[in-house]
Structures are given as structure tokens and as C-alpha cells.
Amino acid sequence: EAGVTQSPTHLIKTRGQQATLRCSPISGHTSVYWYQQALGLGLQFLLWYDEGEERNRGNFPPRFSGRQFPNYSSELNVNALELEDSALYLCASSPNPEQFFGPGTRLTVL
Amino acid sequence: SQQGEEDPQALSIQEGENATMNCSYKTSINNLQWYRQNSGRGLVHLILIRSNEREKHSGRLRVTLDTSKKSSSLLITASRAADTASYFCATKDSNYQLIWGAGTKLIIKP
């Protein structure tokens, strides 16, 4: 069974640009979670999608947004990138309570 | 604020020794989970302990939970070089979101 996949692996952008990160959950999982992990820190909850709808969001500005598609894959969009957005972005899918993580997308904002 | 706080922040031991990490949390929980993260990549679920359990084993892992002290410990016995990683505890908040600590970085020296 394939695990959670994320693309791209690495993404380098400049300040002010927009970034799109993608995630495909494990087959059969309808929930997708997005987390931001700054270097050396713990995970900060960003967004939770389930059955195509946003169920909850963390304490992040509106320029962090996303969506979930009918096949349960998900996109995270970050607009007007700032230097502090440089981090590892992790996606997880879940049958609850355990979460299965993808390898992450490392976003670097220059 | 973080629900889970791991202690110590970093731990370096010789291969073969036992490693103990602690996690404290703030609110009542249904369960507590431990995850491992290798080299800043995706997290892997290790073990879940429910609030009505006091101890749980999985291979070389032993987890304890003390709900009166709002704390948990993860013991890795007979450590191996492959155990070098960061270890995180996670609990769910009132919105059913996993809240993560900053993690314990474990280094196993050969």
C-alpha cells in the first residue's frame, strides 16, 4: 500500500511569490492535515481537511490556504511569501487517531 | 501554547544504553501518542497509550502514562544507531487537533 506522498520535495521561492504544495493521502483516508515545522522546532498545525471541506485551521494568517479535491488529495497555497515561511511542510492523512505522514516539502524563501 | 513539552531537548548516549524521554501536557486527554522523525523528514507513529492505560510495550519501546501528573515517558532499551532521531509526543486539544511538543533529539553514539 502506498504511503502519503508530497510534492515537490524541495521548493525555493523569493519573497512575495506564491507557493503551491501538494499531498496525496493513503488510499481510503479522507482526512488530510497540514503542518509547518520550522527548523529545530515542533509541528505547528496549519489546516485540516475532511471529505473535501476545511474542518479547522491553526493560528496562521489568511495567506495560508488550501483545498481538498474529490479524490482526497490536497493543496496548500502560501501567498505573498515571507522569509519566515521557510520551513518543512508536512502532510498527514488519518483514519484517526493515528496520523500517517508524508516525507514533507522543504520550502526555502530567499 | 504547546500541549506537549518534551524533556530533555537533546540526549546523547552510547549504543546499547537505555534512553528515556519525558513529555508533559496541560489538559485532560483521551490518549497520547509518540512519534519519531528522522533527519527532518516525515514522522512515524511509534505507539499510542490511552488515558486508562498506565504502561504499554512495543518491541524495545516502553511508554508510561501518569494522568495525575499529566506526564508520559518513552523508554528505548538497548539503543541502536538507527534510533538516532527526534521524538515527539502528541495529544489532542478540545478541537480534536493533535498538539505537538518541540521534541527530544536523541543521538546514539557508536
Side-chain angles (χ1 to χ4, degrees), chain B:
Chain B
S1 62
Q2 289 182 334
Q3 170 77 316
E5 300 274 352
E6 287 92 344
D7 170 64
Q9 285 189 321
L11 179 62
S12 180
I13 60 174
Q14 292 293 140
E15 193 169 19
E17 293 181 338
N18 296 341
T20 299
M21 289 156 271
N22 302 296
C23 167
S24 59
Y25 56 93
K26 295 174 182 170
T27 63
S28 59
I29 60 171
N30 290 324
N31 60 67
L32 184 144
Q33 302 179 52
W34 283 91
Y35 287 77
R36 184 185 72 222
Q37 183 179 37
N38 291 85
S39 303
R41 303 305 284 172
L43 281 74
V44 174
H45 182 264
L46 292 176
I47 196 165
L48 179 151
I49 186 165
R50 303 190 188 282
S51 59
N52 61 352
E53 296 176 309
R54 292 295 167 259
E55 187 171 311
K56 200 163 182 180
H57 297 253
S58 177
R60 294 184 295 113
L61 304 181
R62 174 179 159 239
V63 169
T64 61
L65 180 64
D66 187 335
T67 53
S68 66
K69 295 181 179 178
K70 291 186 168 59
S71 68
S72 173
S73 67
L74 171 66
L75 168 68
I76 303 174
T77 60
S79 63
R80 304 168 182 170
D83 295 329
T84 294
S86 290
Y87 292 82
F88 296 87
C89 68
T91 57
K92 282 199 173 178
D93 69 3
S94 57
N95 291 321
Y96 304 100
Q97 300 307 309
L98 278 181
I99 306 297
W100 303 80
T104 292
K105 188 171 184 178
L106 175 64
I107 298 172
I108 308 298
K109 296 179 288 185

Side-chain angles (χ1 to χ4, degrees), chain A residues 7 13 23 25 33 43 49 54 64 70 101:
Chain A
S7 63
K13 294 282 189 176
C23 170
Y33 298 81
L43 280 70
Y49 291 96
E54 182 180 302
F64 286 84
F101 283 81

Side-chain angles (χ1 to χ4, degrees), chain A residues 56-95:
Chain A
N56 201 4
R57 67 179 290 130
N59 189 25
F60 281 84
R63 56 191 186 83
F64 286 84
S65 65
R67 54 180 173 166
Q68 187 177 34
F69 299 99
N71 66 354
Y72 304 117
S73 66
S74 177
E75 258 182 17
L76 173 69
N77 295 292
V78 188
N79 294 320
L81 284 165
E82 299 178 2
L83 297 178
E84 309 84 73
D85 298 334
S86 293
L88 181 67
Y89 289 83
L90 291 163
C91 167
S93 71
S94 174

Side-chain angles (χ1 to χ4, degrees), chain A:
Chain A
E1 178 185 273
V4 177
T5 59
Q6 290 186 248
S7 63
T9 303
H10 293 88
L11 188 58
I12 299 175
K13 294 282 189 176
T14 56
R15 216 167 52 179
Q17 286 188 317
Q18 186 243 1
T20 298
L21 289 64
R22 297 178 178 84
C23 170
S24 291
I26 291 172
S27 177
H29 291 185
T30 62
S31 276
V32 171
Y33 298 81
W34 286 96
Y35 295 93
Q36 181 195 67
Q37 185 181 30
L39 190 63
L41 298 180
L43 280 70
Q44 299 297 317
F45 167 68
L46 267 167
L47 289 159
W48 171 29
Y49 291 96
D50 183 59
E51 297 284 359
E53 295 198 9
E54 182 180 302
R55 301 294 183 179
N56 201 4
R57 67 179 290 130
N59 189 25
F60 281 84
R63 56 191 186 83
F64 286 84
S65 65
R67 54 180 173 166
Q68 187 177 34
F69 299 99
N71 66 354
Y72 304 117
S73 66
S74 177
E75 258 182 17
L76 173 69
N77 295 292
V78 188
N79 294 320
L81 284 165
E82 299 178 2
L83 297 178
E84 309 84 73
D85 298 334
S86 293
L88 181 67
Y89 289 83
L90 291 163
C91 167
S93 71
S94 174
N96 198 36
E98 180 181 343
Q99 295 193 357
F100 295 82
F101 283 81
T105 292
R106 185 161 296 283
L107 173 64
T108 301
V109 183
L110 303 175

